[in-house]
Amino acid sequence: PPLPPGWDDFQAIFKGGYSGWGYRSSYVDAAGRLRLRNTPVPRASATAAEKDRSYSNHVMADKAVAFLRKHRDDRAPYFLEVSTYATHSSLRRAWPGEPRFPAAFRDRPHAGRPGGNCGAVACSSLGTDDLVGYEDDRRDNAPVRVVRGKVVAAPAWNTVPRTMGVTEALRDFRNRARMAQSIDRLIGRVRAEVGPDTYVVVTSDNGYHLRQHGLNGGKGTAYDTDTRVPLLVAGPGVVPGRRSQFVSNIDVAPTLERLAGIAPVGRAGRSFGGALREPRARGKRFVFFEHTNNFSAPGDPDPDVIPERDIEFVPSYVAVRSARGLLVRVDLDRSWTGVRYAWELYRYDRPWEDRNVFAEDWRKPWARELRERLLAFDGCERAACRAAAL
């Protein structure tokens, strides 16, 4: 295949990386051509150390460190992106009996560490209390419609059969924590290699729910479990501490462009670079996200992994979030052309989206503003998108 435009080096691990072992990867040869190599699944009788040497997250860490050492003394700036498959579930088991969320063997339970490695806390201490909103009654989240100025009930979209038990939820929760340790080591190795003039950004694409809101395990909803992800930045001039403004994934590219001294290309996102040096800098007060109903095909890495079939029950929606609450406009029409809008509204003076309060709050100023922002965002052009978030 050709080298993707814009990249000087492209060392990708392809979708076999979801399983941790047994994948194809790419590299650029001396002539600048993209080549592929195969890394087979180690034999089942191999030692844990032998297996871990080809674990995809460890291989990514080795590749990242090699790149940083090669370019450490370059006069020109570089950009390195490292995208792990963890903590995603596997598409297929590398060996019989493998867990759905396969951690490196050094982080699994073993004689020297019976509970395995979950980082700063003992794996046994991770329980359902850590899953905010666990076992919340799904009826509290039913959408409503506005008909001739009155709020009426709408059909519930969350009708997914409950198939995940508490034992399975805790097992997946702890195995995902074990998987995350290889990412933690990767970040530590990168931080040890980069120079003082390098920015390191850590974030994720989505969260994950485990039996919250009456669901099983999966993603794709507008709720905090699925949409709120870490964002950490370290580098020159970054003042340590938390920030309170809203940031979306589409804001990362213009931020990096600003930090690199490049005029941002026209984008819907907005740089949050000012907040790195001034924690109280004014930023976005609203964040938007949207989802298109997923009619999946065989081979899709999300719904093909049971019980993540939750994602096929999530309808199309557009949502806006502020410090006060979350407004979601769901489309209950499952066709590609029709629409049948309904609403969910949640207040964040409560710990999670525990009850749809649209019927009682939809005429209040804070809720009206969310609705106005959502309508301004839906189908907006770049400048209007940026304005809607302020």
Side-chain angles (χ1 to χ4, degrees), residues 261-317:
I262 301 170
V265 181
R267 301 182 187 277
R270 178 180 293 271
S271 170
F272 56 86
L276 301 180
R277 294 174 174 81
E278 175 45 63
R280 296 183 179 276
R282 183 174 182 267
K284 298 191 327 187
R285 296 186 298 126
F286 302 89
V287 67
F288 304 91
F289 30 92
E290 54 191 347
H291 170 80
T292 301
N293 181 37
N294 182 22
F295 296 129
S296 59
D300 189 314
D302 293 323
D304 266 10
V305 184
I306 297 173
E308 291 183 16
R309 292 189 183 278
D310 281 3
I311 198 170
E312 294 191 335
F313 285 82
V314 181
S316 298
Y317 63 76

Side-chain angles (χ1 to χ4, degrees), residues 313-384:
F313 285 82
V314 181
S316 298
Y317 63 76
V318 178
V320 57
R321 179 173 177 164
S322 72
R324 291 288 303 272
L326 168 70
L327 177 67
V328 189
R329 187 189 69 186
V330 299
D331 180 7
L332 299 177
D333 189 310
R334 289 283 178 167
S335 72
W336 292 117
T337 56
V339 295
R340 190 184 182 197
Y341 293 140
W343 301 88
E344 297 179 34
L345 178 68
Y346 302 98
R347 293 201 303 259
Y348 282 132
D349 55 1
R350 304 173 184 188
W352 73 91
E353 301 90 346
D354 65 338
R355 187 169 66 86
N356 182 4
V357 298
F358 189 92
E360 58 201 74
D361 279 18
W362 73 292
R363 294 185 185 276
K364 293 181 179 179
W366 75 274
R368 285 205 311 268
E369 182 177 27
L370 285 178
R371 197 171 182 184
E372 291 168 359
R373 298 277 177 168
L374 185 148
L375 295 175
F377 170 78
D378 188 20
C380 63
E381 297 293 337
R382 289 188 292 258

Side-chain angles (χ1 to χ4, degrees), residues 97-113:
E98 274 288 274
R100 206 159 64 90
F101 292 92
F105 278 85
R106 63 180 288 184
D107 299 314
R108 301 184 186 190
H110 54 269
R113 201 168 196 169

Side-chain angles (χ1 to χ4, degrees), residues 46-347:
T47 66
E50 288 172 333
K51 291 174 179 176
D52 277 357
R53 277 196 289 273
S54 60
Y55 185 56
S56 59
N57 282 1
H58 292 165
V59 172
M60 288 182 188
D62 291 340
K63 290 176 178 289
V65 168
F67 175 91
L68 293 169
R69 289 176 177 172
K70 179 180 178 181
H71 295 282
R72 181 162 43 199
D73 297 325
D74 288 3
R75 293 182 60 85
Y78 60 79
F79 173 79
L80 169 66
E81 178 180 347
V82 184
S83 300
T84 70
Y85 286 102
T87 55
H88 200 286
S89 53
S90 61
L91 294 185
R92 53 177 169 71
R93 306 297 197 266
W95 303 277
E98 274 288 274
R100 206 159 64 90
F101 292 92
F105 278 85
R106 63 180 288 184
D107 299 314
R108 301 184 186 190
H110 54 269
R113 201 168 196 169
N117 177 19
C118 288
V121 299
C123 295
S124 59
S125 71
L126 295 176
T128 56
D129 289 346
D130 298 298
L131 300 171
V132 179
Y134 181 83
E135 290 288 67
D136 182 43
D137 192 331
R138 67 173 66 181
R139 292 172 297 182
D140 291 341
N141 303 106
V144 296
R145 300 178 62 216
V146 178
V147 179
R148 291 187 289 276
K150 294 185 178 180
V151 177
V152 299
W157 62 263
N158 183 1
T159 57
V160 57
R162 173 57 64 79
T163 59
M164 175 178 277
V166 89
T167 300
E168 186 178 6
L170 283 177
R171 183 190 65 208
D172 284 357
F173 184 28
R174 291 167 182 170
N175 279 335
R176 293 182 75 237
R178 294 177 183 116
M179 282 185 88
Q181 303 319 306
S182 60
I183 302 174
D184 203 32
R185 288 191 293 274
L186 185 157
I187 295 169
R189 293 182 65 187
V190 167
R191 291 275 284 143
E193 292 292 337
V194 299
D197 293 329
T198 305
Y199 290 94
V200 178
V201 181
V202 180
T203 189
S204 180
D205 54 347
N206 58 265
Y208 194 78
H209 58 256
L210 278 168
R211 286 176 63 105
Q212 287 102 325
H213 305 297
L215 294 161
N216 290 302
K219 58 187 178 182
T221 76
Y223 306 136
D224 188 83
T225 52
D226 297 12
T227 59
R228 190 174 185 180
V229 298
L231 175 62
L232 301 96
V233 183
V238 177
V239 176
R242 299 183 64 178
R243 308 296 191 267
S244 60
Q245 63 179 255
F246 283 93
V247 173
S248 176
N249 281 353
I250 62 173
D251 300 325
V252 174
T255 302
L256 296 178
E257 289 168 340
R258 289 287 189 190
L259 293 176
I262 301 170
V265 181
R267 301 182 187 277
R270 178 180 293 271
S271 170
F272 56 86
L276 301 180
R277 294 174 174 81
E278 175 45 63
R280 296 183 179 276
R282 183 174 182 267
K284 298 191 327 187
R285 296 186 298 126
F286 302 89
V287 67
F288 304 91
F289 30 92
E290 54 191 347
H291 170 80
T292 301
N293 181 37
N294 182 22
F295 296 129
S296 59
D300 189 314
D302 293 323
D304 266 10
V305 184
I306 297 173
E308 291 183 16
R309 292 189 183 278
D310 281 3
I311 198 170
E312 294 191 335
F313 285 82
V314 181
S316 298
Y317 63 76
V318 178
V320 57
R321 179 173 177 164
S322 72
R324 291 288 303 272
L326 168 70
L327 177 67
V328 189
R329 187 189 69 186
V330 299
D331 180 7
L332 299 177
D333 189 310
R334 289 283 178 167
S335 72
W336 292 117
T337 56
V339 295
R340 190 184 182 197
Y341 293 140
W343 301 88
E344 297 179 34
L345 178 68
Y346 302 98
R347 293 201 303 259

